[in-house]
Amino acid sequence: MYSLNFTREWDSALFEFTKLLRERLGNNLVMIIGLDENEKVYDSNVLVVVRSKTDDVIMSIADVALDVNSKYNCSINFHVIQNG
């Protein structure tokens, strides 16, 4: 089940992160998996799956994460993997 509770800042930040990445990466974005903010796997709380992982793609994701982190009182720490 997928649910976002927009009374929680983390959910709002994750929603905006997803929306902005979809706009920037288009069809290159395959999936985003977000944990609770304080849970971490490999020092990250958000997994970003892309079709093609390049330095430009990673920098775009980093830019979006910085923008969202500065807007909300939370910290998106992402990890990027390539699908397939």
Side-chain angles (χ1 to χ4, degrees):
M1 178 168 97
Y2 183 80
S3 66
L4 290 172
N5 178 351
F6 290 108
T7 62
R8 294 186 336 183
E9 195 157 13
W10 173 248
D11 289 8
S12 295
L14 193 55
F15 176 80
E16 185 163 344
F17 181 71
T18 302
K19 179 181 169 280
L20 293 173
L21 281 187
R22 186 74 179 143
E23 290 172 3
R24 285 223 191 162
L25 302 180
N27 288 334
N28 192 28
L29 181 63
V30 175
M31 179 185 322
I32 294 175
I33 300 172
L35 301 173
D36 284 334
E37 181 181 12
N38 296 320
E39 292 183 35
K40 297 214 181 341
V41 176
Y42 300 114
D43 293 327
S44 65
N45 53 14
V46 178
L47 177 66
V48 180
V49 182
V50 294
R51 285 185 172 79
S52 175
K53 181 181 172 184
T54 65
D55 289 342
D56 288 339
V57 167
I58 294 169
M59 288 305 297
S60 289
I61 296 168
D63 287 342
V64 169
L66 286 172
D67 289 345
V68 171
N69 287 344
S70 68
K71 182 176 180 179
Y72 295 93
N73 186 25
C74 58
S75 183
I76 291 176
N77 301 305
F78 64 91
H79 180 74
V80 182
I81 62 167
Q82 184 169 317
N83 186 29

